[in-house]
Amino acid sequence: MVPPDKAREFHDETLPKDSAKAAHFCSMKITQEVREYAAKQGISEIAALKQGMEVKSVEFIKNGAEIYRKQ
């Protein structure tokens, strides 16, 4: 497995804009947070994702179930 810092270096070399570099590692950060949460809860990563999606689904419905909302 490639260490995260080295993976970031390899990734950054292939992208021309800083915004693209940040977007990918944002998803990596989320993945790491899911793994850490799952480990703390003693559940699988899939179970952690399902829990998170359920919470966000309820939140979405409570907020009017609109994809584009006025702030």
Side-chain angles (χ1 to χ4, degrees):
M1 181 190 265
V2 178
D5 291 342
K6 195 64 173 170
R8 186 174 291 118
E9 271 181 49
F10 290 147
H11 180 265
D12 287 355
E13 289 175 3
T14 65
L15 297 170
K17 295 184 178 181
D18 287 338
S19 61
K21 296 172 187 178
H24 177 74
F25 288 100
C26 178
S27 67
M28 289 179 66
K29 182 179 185 315
I30 292 168
T31 300
Q32 185 60 36
E33 289 172 352
V34 168
R35 288 180 178 150
E36 290 169 1
Y37 174 81
K40 284 181 185 176
Q41 299 298 316
I43 60 176
S44 71
E45 291 171 22
I46 297 296
L49 288 170
K50 285 180 180 180
Q51 283 181 6
M53 290 302 293
E54 188 173 317
V55 168
K56 286 298 181 182
S57 178
V58 169
E59 181 182 312
F60 175 72
I61 292 167
K62 283 182 178 178
N63 287 320
E66 294 182 32
I67 295 174
Y68 300 104
R69 296 185 308 146
K70 292 182 179 179
Q71 296 292 329

